[in-house]
Amino acid sequence: MAKKRLQKKREATKTAASKSTAPVKEAVKVEAETAKVETKKVEPVKVETKKVEPAKVETTKTEPVKVETKKVDAVKVETSKTEPVKVETKKVEPVKVETTKTEPLKVETAKTESVKIESHKEDTAKVETSKTEAPKVSAKEAAAKIPARDDDAIYCERLSRHLDELKWLYCELYQDNPYVTMHLNDLLTVLKKFYDMRSNDLKESDIRRAKDPKWYKRNDLTGMMMYVNAFAGTLSGLEKKLDYVQECNVNYLHLMPLLESPKGRSDGGYAVADFRKVQEELGNMDDFAHLTSECHKRGISVCLDFVMNHTSEDHEWAKRARAGEREYQDRYFFFDSYDIPSLYEQTCPQVFPTTAPGNFTWLDDIHKHVMTTFYPYQWDLNYRNPIVLNEMIFNMLYLANQGVDIVRLDAVPYIWKQLGTNCRNLPQVHTIVRMMRMICEIVCPGVLLLGEVVMAPEKVVPYFGTVDKPECHLLYNVTTMASTWHTVATRDVSLLRRQLDIVAGLPRDYVFQNYLRCHDDIGWGLDYDYLENFGIQEVPHKKYLNDFLTGKYPDSFARGELYNDDPRLGDARLCGTTASLCGIERFGFEGNEEGVDRAIRYDITLHAFMLSQSGIPVIYSGDEIAQLNDYSYKDDPDKAADSRYLHRGNFRWDLAENRNRPETVQGKLFPVLDKLEHLRMEHSVFNSEVPIRTIDTWDDSILALVRENDEEKFIGIYNFSEFDKVAWINEDDGMYTDLISGRELEAKGVQIPAFGCFWLCRRKK
């Protein structure tokens, strides 16, 4: 009877296995390792697998035993005191069996699972499990009937969902490469290895987030971006400061570039010499992994830049290319003469026309030109070479396995170069980003892609992809940020209102990352076609904006500096902290208390506006304590030429100590921002999927936006003028409460102070 039951069980297993493995027959070919087992006077053990002939293990005193498997999926070990060991398969990697004359038999599976079988005189098997996986179910779990996680089954299901499209896109992108199939198989094989290396905690996080795909779209995420060295010196130092990070209500921490880059030629960390090594002065990769683990314990997601357009000239690939190795020169764009580079220059714009003019650099030591779209020490990668794509994806997955939750794709529009084009936003870029999205959903679905697309509005949105074929999960809301500072300088909200209406018209699945300031400059990529309707011309308007925000314009309260000023094109960008651009710096140095209070109010209003937008708000470290411009960068020869260091100064911990002293600037700003952040988290109306619209205020300097769901109606009112005003709105649906002050009022003819704001809210039920 036992034999018949065993036979029926095996037949059922074969039937189930044939169904579960069918979709992925063309996937990664996993070659099972042949394990040699030396035994001494033991009984033969039979290992049976599905879809192959049973492999017999025969032993003698001198011959080793070979266990051969083909396409073995999973191993389930069942034990009894009198019957031989039974092995049934279930979609996991083939096992490797190793024994010695004195050691007990060990069965090793994938890196995350570890099953140890110890043999006894009675030929029974004892199963011991590792801490990360649980083939042996505890009594409590058994009672609750909790099934063990089948990692390989999970991976195969994810792979089968995307395999056809992934193969199609890859082969289409590299159809001219005779070895495209080989490179595709290499990619697929290594993806599985990175999945196997992913820790148990990260796999569990992946599963939770896959079950809750809207986890990043709700109103409970608040971000902060910072340089580790400026904030806390080292990675371990930052770990010690996480209490302060949490005090700022931050659960989304964006760490600026921290991978190895050469001193003096780092571009703020964006010239990466090693994608798997941390800058020595910050610590090491173990410190980084420990930091991300501690962040996860506190409910903080970690974002890290992935610089994918170029490497440092100190990268191993670049060094080997410079040494003459053709294989590595093919990973960049090398030319013996200037003939082809000159053709590129005819259509490819310059990123830094004043500090790094041109798109190519002459290497005198090897007499070749190399493409350098950004700085001469940043060599552009050639994604026409499939090896480059594969290796960069592997680098991305390596960082994801260190605990990175959000991968910021730096300069992603630039990654595909094609002669005769502007080398920006080409279709191949979207193909690559789509493949990266699918690869993340296969290997690490808990990881988000954040696209850095600093382009005109019509170029930004396509990086979301489509609802059916998504690309980036998140995009920077660059145009709204720039339009906000345009409004600060002009006191006219019409352009900003138009931008908000455009964003409001996009699918609710599209999630923006909103911000006032970041590590970078403010570029004036505005909607000039719209502004021309009012007689506003691009070049003179940019000059006005820069003059006002650098304090050159009469009575301007702002204090900033220009970056990459090109008088010929009038295309300079702007640098400065939020506090300095709002007037806290000017009035503080003048000793004008009334001016300082008004500037603090404006700082609060701008943050309130940013927090009420649809998406994820991110505050730049230091803005919460009104940190001013740091002009000391001019004394550092490695930084003096880059005015962006004006707002990248060291965090002022001495000022942070004032955050609980109401008479100080910090004591007037920090608690209000804290309150706004809590209000946003407490009210469902701030969920990213809640519709948003603007309404008329009948005043060019006052903006009003409405968010409304079944539970609440919210009206945000923002005065961009230095004068007290009346917002002539006329919402006649009852009384509202200003969430900031607690004051009850009607949403009609609202009197609003200079540079002030209201968050009016009415509960529906």
Side-chain angles (χ1 to χ4, degrees):
M1 291 298 290
K3 185 176 182 180
K4 288 182 179 181
R5 288 197 301 272
L6 175 61
Q7 184 175 358
K8 288 181 180 180
K9 191 170 185 179
R10 288 173 178 164
E11 290 174 354
T13 302
K14 289 181 180 180
T15 301
S18 63
K19 293 180 181 180
S20 62
T21 58
V24 292
K25 287 181 179 179
E26 296 180 358
V28 184
K29 296 179 180 179
V30 180
E31 296 182 8
E33 296 182 8
T34 302
K36 295 183 179 181
V37 182
E38 294 183 7
T39 64
K40 183 177 180 180
K41 294 183 180 180
V42 295
E43 293 299 322
V45 179
K46 292 184 179 181
V47 179
E48 297 183 4
T49 64
K50 56 191 176 188
K51 292 192 176 181
V52 294
E53 292 298 321
K56 296 182 179 180
V57 181
E58 299 180 0
T59 64
T60 67
K61 294 182 180 180
T62 57
E63 293 289 328
V65 178
K66 292 186 178 180
V67 179
E68 298 183 357
T69 63
K70 290 183 180 180
K71 297 182 180 177
V72 181
D73 286 328
V75 178
K76 179 179 179 182
V77 181
E78 300 180 358
T79 67
S80 70
K81 293 183 179 180
T82 57
E83 294 186 3
V85 178
K86 300 174 185 178
V87 181
E88 298 179 3
T89 62
K90 189 191 291 181
K91 287 188 182 177
V92 291
E93 289 298 304
V95 300
K96 179 180 179 183
V97 182
E98 297 178 332
T99 67
T100 65
K101 293 181 179 179
T102 57
E103 294 292 327
L105 288 174
K106 294 181 181 179
V107 178
E108 297 182 2
T109 59
K111 293 184 178 180
T112 54
E113 299 185 9
S114 176
V115 181
K116 184 184 292 183
I117 300 178
E118 299 183 2
S119 60
H120 299 274
K121 293 180 180 180
E122 299 82 12
D123 290 331
T124 58
K126 180 181 179 181
V127 180
E128 298 180 0
T129 61
S130 65
K131 293 181 180 179
T132 55
E133 298 296 334
K136 181 181 178 182
V137 181
S138 67
K140 184 177 180 180
E141 290 176 332
K145 296 183 179 180
I146 300 174
R149 190 182 71 213
D150 190 337
D151 279 350
D152 281 20
I154 293 171
Y155 180 84
C156 288
E157 189 279 327
R158 293 173 185 165
L159 179 63
S160 65
R161 197 186 316 149
H162 295 296
L163 183 60
D164 287 344
E165 185 185 355
L166 184 59
K167 289 169 59 179
W168 175 272
L169 292 178
Y170 194 97
C171 292
E172 180 186 46
L173 188 66
Y174 297 117
Q175 57 186 304
D176 296 330
N177 190 301
Y179 305 106
V180 59
T181 303
M182 179 190 73
H183 293 304
L184 175 60
N185 285 335
D186 288 345
L187 174 68
L188 294 172
T189 301
V190 179
L191 293 189
K192 180 59 167 62
K193 293 180 180 179
F194 274 104
Y195 173 78
D196 289 339
M197 290 187 289
R198 197 155 171 79
S199 74
N200 182 67
D201 287 343
L202 293 178
K203 286 182 178 179
E204 288 294 332
S205 176
D206 290 337
I207 292 172
R208 288 194 302 272
R209 289 176 174 178
K211 291 179 179 178
D212 181 22
K214 297 181 180 181
W215 68 271
Y216 62 96
K217 298 180 180 181
R218 289 189 283 270
N219 52 304
D220 56 353
L221 276 182
T222 301
M224 176 177 283
M225 60 191 311
M226 64 174 61
Y227 281 96
V228 172
N229 59 335
F231 184 76
T234 64
L235 290 165
S236 59
L238 171 56
E239 190 172 324
K240 296 174 183 176
K241 297 291 187 180
L242 289 179
D243 285 345
Y244 174 81
V245 171
Q246 288 189 289
E247 186 182 345
C248 295
N249 307 307
V250 169
N251 51 12
Y252 170 179
L253 188 59
H254 180 184
L255 304 180
M256 302 309 296
L258 49 77
L259 300 178
E260 186 177 78
S261 57
K263 184 176 176 57
R265 293 174 290 114
S266 71
D267 185 26
Y270 288 97
V272 179
D274 192 331
F275 288 93
R276 305 192 183 190
K277 187 177 180 182
V278 169
Q279 294 171 20
E280 187 175 351
E281 61 271 22
L282 298 180
N284 55 44
M285 193 56 73
D286 288 339
D287 295 329
F288 177 72
H290 195 274
L291 170 66
T292 61
S293 177
E294 182 61 29
C295 285
H296 294 159
K297 292 175 184 177
R298 294 169 177 253
I300 301 173
S301 297
V302 178
C303 175
L304 189 68
D305 290 73
F306 182 57
V307 185
M308 60 183 302
N309 178 71
H310 45 257
T311 74
S312 163
E313 63 180 345
D314 284 16
H315 191 279
E316 180 188 1
W317 294 357
K319 289 180 178 179
R320 297 183 71 167
R322 203 162 200 159
E325 293 188 49
R326 180 60 183 271
E327 175 189 348
Y328 290 91
Q329 289 183 354
D330 288 344
R331 299 186 185 191
Y332 301 95
F333 294 90
F334 276 90
F335 301 96
D336 294 327
S337 71
Y338 193 64
D339 294 343
I340 296 178
S342 66
L343 296 177
Y344 272 104
E345 294 287 15
Q346 291 177 16
T347 59
C348 189
Q350 300 180 54
V351 176
F352 300 136
T354 56
T355 56
N359 291 289
F360 291 86
T361 297
W362 169 253
L363 304 178
D364 194 53
D365 52 334
I366 60 173
H367 295 89
K368 288 181 182 291
H369 297 271
V370 64
M371 194 171 202
T372 55
T373 300
F374 288 80
Y375 284 104
Y377 49 78
Q378 293 168 310
W379 294 5
D380 286 30
L381 288 167
N382 180 9
Y383 280 90
R384 290 178 176 274
N385 184 342
I387 295 176
V388 170
L389 177 64
N390 286 6
E391 292 295 329
M392 291 302 287
I393 285 174
F394 300 155
N395 284 330
M396 178 188 71
L397 294 177
Y398 173 83
L399 295 173
N401 279 358
Q402 307 311 307
V404 174
D405 301 279
I406 301 96
V407 176
R408 177 187 179 272
L409 303 180
D410 179 66
V412 65
Y414 299 82
I415 62 175
W416 192 271
K417 311 300 192 298
Q418 185 170 313
L419 196 62
T421 72
N422 65 358
C423 300
R424 310 281 197 275
N425 306 299
L426 298 180
Q428 294 87 342
V429 175
H430 292 281
T431 297
I432 291 173
V433 177
R434 172 62 185 152
M435 287 194 291
M436 295 175 74
R437 171 69 176 258
M438 288 190 291
I439 286 168
C440 284
E441 291 183 359
I442 293 168
V443 179
C444 48
V447 172
L448 305 180
L449 297 181
L450 166 63
E452 190 232 3
V453 186
V454 186
M455 297 283 174
E458 67 274 9
K459 300 295 184 183
V460 174
V461 173
Y463 284 89
F464 281 120
T466 65
V467 175
D468 294 332
K469 297 186 183 301
E471 296 176 23
C472 292
H473 299 80
L474 305 167
L475 291 176
Y476 280 97
N477 198 349
V478 178
T479 308
T480 300
M481 180 275 296
S483 298
T484 300
W485 291 108
H486 159 273
T487 307
V488 169
T490 63
R491 303 165 179 82
D492 189 321
V493 303
S494 58
L495 178 64
L496 182 57
R497 181 180 178 184
R498 173 179 168 81
Q499 174 61 24
L500 291 174
D501 289 339
I502 291 173
V503 173
L506 298 174
R508 292 292 88 196
D509 289 322
Y510 296 170
V511 181
F512 282 101
Q513 179 167 303
N514 302 307
Y515 63 109
L516 287 177
R517 292 297 300 112
C518 70
H519 71 290
D520 221 342
D521 54 89
I522 300 173
W524 300 117
L526 306 174
D527 189 346
Y528 291 102
D529 290 338
Y530 173 76
L531 290 175
E532 282 182 1
N533 294 325
F534 306 95
I536 298 175
Q537 301 299 313
E538 180 174 351
V539 172
H541 187 61
K542 286 181 177 178
K543 185 178 186 306
Y544 165 75
L545 296 176
N546 285 325
D547 284 350
F548 183 90
L549 292 168
T550 56
K552 296 177 182 176
Y553 200 80
D555 295 327
S556 168
F557 50 77
R559 293 294 181 267
E561 288 187 352
L562 298 183
Y563 174 68
N564 256 284
D565 185 14
D566 187 347
R568 296 176 299 110
L569 301 177
D571 200 26
R573 277 104 81 164
L574 181 77
C575 301
T577 68
T578 298
S580 290
L581 295 178
C582 285
I584 295 176
E585 178 177 328
R586 174 196 162 178
F587 294 120
F589 279 105
E590 291 177 357
N592 184 338
E593 281 192 39
E594 182 181 351
V596 169
D597 286 342
R598 194 175 68 172
I600 293 172
R601 187 162 66 241
Y602 206 5
D603 194 314
I604 292 170
T605 292
L606 294 182
H607 276 96
F609 167 61
M610 185 266 291
L611 287 163
S612 64
Q613 294 173 42
S614 180
I616 301 174
V618 177
I619 293 175
Y620 190 54
S621 173
D623 275 4
E624 77 279 11
I625 57 169
Q627 193 158 319
L628 305 179
N629 293 337
D630 183 357
Y631 298 95
S632 67
Y633 81 93
K634 298 180 180 181
D635 300 326
D636 186 336
D638 292 333
K639 300 177 180 178
D642 190 340
S643 56
R644 291 176 298 180
Y645 284 101
L646 180 70
H647 50 259
R648 297 176 180 174
N650 290 336
F651 186 77
R652 293 286 304 276
W653 287 102
D654 57 329
L655 295 181
E657 294 297 322
N658 294 334
R659 63 189 183 275
N660 296 317
R661 297 172 56 196
E663 73 278 8
T664 65
V665 171
Q666 292 70 39
K668 295 175 181 177
L669 177 65
F670 188 93
V672 181
L673 295 184
D674 174 74
K675 183 174 184 176
L676 291 172
E677 289 157 2
H678 276 100
L679 288 170
R680 182 182 178 277
M681 290 185 284
E682 292 165 2
H683 290 265
S684 63
V685 75
F686 292 110
N687 190 303
S688 291
E689 295 185 330
V690 173
I692 184 172
R693 69 182 190 273
T694 62
I695 57 175
D696 287 328
T697 63
W698 306 102
D699 191 301
D700 290 341
S701 58
I702 301 177
L703 177 74
L705 58 87
V706 176
R707 307 188 64 152
E708 187 171 7
N709 61 8
D710 292 337
E711 300 174 354
E712 298 175 308
K713 181 178 178 181
F714 167 87
I715 305 174
I717 309 175
Y718 309 96
N719 184 1
F720 285 83
S721 166
E722 66 270 39
F723 303 108
D724 295 345
K725 295 264 189 171
V726 176
W728 295 107
I729 62 175
N730 191 31
E731 301 295 304
D732 56 0
D733 50 358
M735 296 296 291
Y736 286 75
T737 300
D738 175 29
L739 298 177
I740 301 174
S741 66
R743 173 185 162 199
E744 297 274 335
L745 70 160
E746 288 186 298
K748 295 181 179 181
V750 180
Q751 296 185 14
I752 185 168
F755 297 138
C757 67
F758 285 112
W759 270 15
L760 305 183
C761 190
R762 181 179 68 83
R763 292 198 64 82
K764 293 182 176 181
K765 58 182 181 179

